Amino acid sequence: MGNRINWQTYIGVVLLWFIQLGMAAQGMPLTNEAAKLCQQKSYAAALKKADEAIHSDAESRDAYTWYVHGFVHKEIYKEEELGNRQSTHRMQAEESLLRAMMAENAARHEEMIKLALKYLASTYYNDALQSSQVISGEGESTPRKLFADFERLMNVAVPGTDFLSYQKELEKSLGQHYFAMWQRDTEIAKWRELASKRYESIIAMDNTDSDAYYNLAVIDYNRAVFMYRKLGPDTDMFDAITLQEEASALIRTRALVNMEKAYALAPEKGEVVRGIMMMHRALDHEKDVAYFKAEIERLISEGKIKADQHK
Amino acid sequence: MFSLRHMPIFRFVLFVWALLFAMSSSAQSIPDDNTMAMIRANYLYQFASNSNWPSEWKKGTFNTAIVGNPEVFEIMVSKYAGKPIGSQALNVIGATEMTVTPQVHVLFVDRSKKAELAKYVKEFKGKSTLIVTNWEGALAQGAHINFLSIDGSIRFELNKTAMTEAVITPGIKILQWAIE
């Protein structure tokens, strides 16, 4: 019985809300027509009507008019310009939606406006990550600017958003990109240094990020391995000894230190356990190698990591 | 009033996650290289090229046998096999081939085959076979050169008397870099 009463109350509230919206929209023919055309995916016609609506004295003061105008631009962006970082439709959508938020009756449409803004914010975030993977110089201005746009819109759409995880993802993405650039030409130290800086910045934001410690360790370990790979029949004995002392010091004082931090934070992560085992092997630490090999076996037997990835 | 439907945010989030997944799958990985094997193989080549063998051992191939360490064996084969040691070409062999090889110039016995050292010392007694090992106390057991691990770096110690008995003369670089 109680449930029945609750349902009746709920349906009543919803009906009342629709009636209110309908009454409010009665004097907005242009906006309503734009919304209808947009629903029918007739975007060009919808945009024309929405443009007329925002220039109409009768309709331009209403938040809903600006919301529809922004929404139409947003839909056109999705259809035609998704991934285009210079999209004019996205900029127009943003402007109109922010304008809708400033209208006197914004509160009535706030939820929908914020949802649209959140979507736009997400596209800026996505673009920031994508652009971080294609930069070829040292300039990070494009991904940084796109990320700032994401933050700006999210602060309106979802006030109080915690950006830490997003910031870390951007730094990680940049770090991975620089690492990949370094792998293409390991003689260019600049890429390695930039990758390290990005992971160090993650640790500065969050000193419990095991991935950042792992990635820092991998950079230094790779650097040491690249040095060892230079050993060959033409290497002089003095050079070989100097090279291996430099490489082993790199592993001992940097790579292993960071890998141990990663391990302390994620002792059952397969790649970390394998990583620490490899570093001990590179330092000829027999007992440690045996210990971490046993750990890998245990994690495999417990189904926590896959066997084929950690042979 | 028409209610405009939003693209569900979760669909977009999925797109972002797909991108992140693609990135994390190309995450930085640890190279498989066995660096200890790399440095040991290089040392074996250095010992071969910086020592002097009797003239009757300077004919045919320069045979280097690797026992108990497949990774050192593989690196020797891929990086050093065929390279000149004086006028001889370096040939890398395993334990089974040793029995049919008349002259083994360098024999590396890994610590995994520690128990077999005595057998090899006996077998190569009176021959100019340089026996190299990698465990503590191996020189006293008959090895000529033994690898030492110092702070993760590989260095070596040698038994010069035993080398002289085997008529193998260590070069100046070997003497210079050996740990006393």
Side-chain angles (χ1 to χ4, degrees):
Chain A
M1 189 70 161
N3 283 341
R4 198 173 159 191
I5 290 168
N6 286 342
W7 272 109
Q8 283 174 337
T9 308
Y10 174 75
I11 290 164
V13 169
V14 171
L15 278 174
L16 189 64
W17 183 66
F18 272 113
I19 290 163
Q20 281 179 330
L21 285 177
M23 284 169 67
Q26 273 177 359
M28 305 172 67
L30 294 169
T31 302
N32 282 338
E33 184 62 14
K36 188 179 171 186
L37 288 164
C38 187
Q39 268 196 332
Q40 292 164 356
K41 297 190 185 295
S42 301
Y43 297 124
L47 185 58
K48 195 176 168 196
K49 284 290 168 197
D51 279 338
E52 284 175 33
I54 61 166
H55 291 104
S56 148
D57 287 341
E59 299 186 29
S60 64
R61 281 190 296 272
D62 198 293
Y64 184 66
T65 300
W66 287 100
Y67 164 70
V68 169
H69 189 257
F71 190 94
V72 173
H73 274 294
K74 175 176 81 79
E75 291 302 299
I76 297 172
Y77 162 70
K78 274 163 58 181
E79 286 290 316
E80 298 172 10
E81 296 184 336
L82 193 65
N84 175 1
R85 289 174 212 140
Q86 313 298 328
S87 167
T88 49
H89 284 293
R90 177 165 64 180
M91 281 190 276
Q92 294 265 344
E94 184 187 324
E95 273 180 35
S96 295
L97 291 166
L98 290 173
R99 178 109 184 230
M101 284 291 284
M102 289 187 288
E104 274 184 26
N105 64 338
R108 181 179 294 174
H109 307 284
E110 194 176 316
E111 197 178 333
M112 289 190 301
I113 299 167
K114 282 183 172 179
L115 208 55
L117 281 170
K118 190 176 174 185
Y119 170 81
L120 292 180
S122 304
T123 67
Y124 279 118
Y125 178 61
N126 199 28
D127 283 355
L129 291 183
Q130 282 186 321
S131 68
S132 72
Q133 292 291 302
V134 293
I135 52 175
S136 57
E138 284 180 46
E140 295 171 356
S141 58
T142 302
R144 298 275 179 218
K145 169 157 191 327
L146 288 161
F147 189 82
D149 287 334
F150 158 67
E151 284 181 307
R152 183 171 49 78
L153 287 193
M154 279 298 277
N155 278 325
V156 179
V158 189
T161 298
D162 182 357
F163 291 103
L164 179 64
S165 62
Y166 299 105
Q167 283 169 332
K168 283 166 57 181
E169 280 302 333
L170 178 64
E171 299 302 310
K172 183 181 170 187
S173 178
L174 285 163
Q176 285 181 347
H177 172 66
Y178 291 137
F179 183 81
M181 296 292 282
W182 178 49
Q183 296 281 299
R184 279 182 217 165
D185 187 350
T186 56
E187 295 300 315
I188 303 177
K190 175 182 80 178
W191 299 119
R192 168 175 52 75
E193 287 160 6
L194 283 169
S196 293
K197 276 183 189 167
R198 297 284 52 86
Y199 294 121
E200 282 162 5
S201 75
I202 293 174
I203 292 166
M205 289 177 210
D206 175 8
N207 64 4
T208 64
D209 192 307
S210 70
D211 285 350
Y213 287 116
Y214 170 83
N215 285 325
L216 261 183
V218 170
I219 290 172
D220 286 321
Y221 184 72
N222 270 267
R223 195 176 156 199
V225 169
F226 296 148
M227 290 163 79
Y228 280 118
R229 283 181 187 168
K230 288 180 181 168
L231 289 173
D234 300 324
T235 314
D236 180 75
M237 186 179 266
F238 171 75
D239 294 335
I241 289 170
T242 310
L243 179 149
Q244 70 142 339
E245 286 195 346
E246 197 182 329
S248 65
L250 194 56
I251 296 172
R252 196 178 64 251
T253 62
R254 292 175 60 95
L256 182 60
V257 171
N258 281 317
M259 195 57 90
E260 279 173 341
K261 286 178 184 168
Y263 179 70
L265 291 161
E268 297 200 331
K269 200 167 182 179
E271 61 187 6
V272 174
V273 184
R274 180 177 175 271
I276 201 164
M277 189 266 286
M278 296 287 278
M279 285 171 196
H280 281 298
R281 187 180 75 169
L283 295 170
D284 207 25
H285 297 164
E286 259 189 303
K287 286 179 186 170
D288 294 302
V289 173
Y291 173 80
F292 288 109
K293 266 186 182 170
E295 273 297 278
I296 290 171
E297 293 300 320
R298 178 182 69 79
L299 293 170
I300 290 170
S301 68
E302 290 175 7
K304 289 176 178 167
I305 58 174
K306 287 180 182 172
D308 57 346
Q309 292 170 343
H310 301 281
K311 281 179 182 173
Chain B
M1 177 181 284
F2 290 92
S3 103
L4 294 172
R5 285 194 306 149
H6 288 273
M7 172 188 181
I9 288 290
F10 72 85
R11 268 170 63 193
F12 188 79
V13 170
L14 274 180
F15 177 59
V16 173
W17 275 109
L19 176 75
L20 292 177
F21 177 77
M23 290 194 316
S24 55
S25 64
S26 62
Q28 295 166 198
S29 58
I30 301 268
D32 284 329
D33 306 50
N34 185 331
T35 57
M36 277 290 128
M38 288 157 101
I39 191 76
R40 283 182 180 131
N42 183 265
Y43 267 126
L44 293 176
Y45 182 78
Q46 300 279 3
F47 298 151
S49 56
N50 287 296
S51 301
N52 194 27
W53 269 261
S55 55
E56 61 272 25
W57 283 65
K58 291 183 179 175
K59 292 165 193 164
T61 54
F62 186 97
N63 299 314
T64 300
I66 311 296
V67 176
N69 194 322
E71 283 162 316
V72 172
F73 180 86
E74 279 169 28
I75 293 164
M76 285 302 291
V77 169
S78 64
K79 232 169 183 177
Y80 303 99
K83 298 295 175 194
I85 303 293
S87 60
Q88 297 168 283
L90 193 143
N91 178 40
V92 185
I93 57 174
T96 51
E97 292 162 276
M98 257 198 316
T99 54
V100 293
T101 307
Q103 290 181 331
V104 176
H105 297 76
V106 176
L107 166 64
F108 172 62
V109 183
D110 187 77
R111 57 189 167 218
S112 66
K113 296 287 180 184
K114 194 187 280 192
E116 294 178 22
L117 179 63
K119 179 186 82 177
Y120 292 121
V121 169
K122 192 176 173 187
E123 193 176 323
F124 291 107
K125 192 168 175 66
K127 293 182 179 174
S128 293
T129 299
L130 179 72
I131 300 176
V132 184
T133 50
N134 63 343
W135 67 89
E136 203 179 322
L139 288 188
Q141 296 164 26
H144 299 115
I145 294 180
N146 184 47
F147 289 127
L148 299 168
S149 183
I150 300 168
D151 287 338
S153 287
I154 298 298
R155 297 293 294 273
F156 60 90
E157 57 183 354
L158 63 83
N159 184 339
K160 199 180 169 193
T161 311
M163 283 182 79
T164 308
E165 283 172 11
V167 204
I168 303 167
T169 312
I172 186 75
K173 285 181 183 172
I174 293 177
L175 294 172
Q176 187 183 347
W177 288 105
I179 301 283
E180 293 293 328

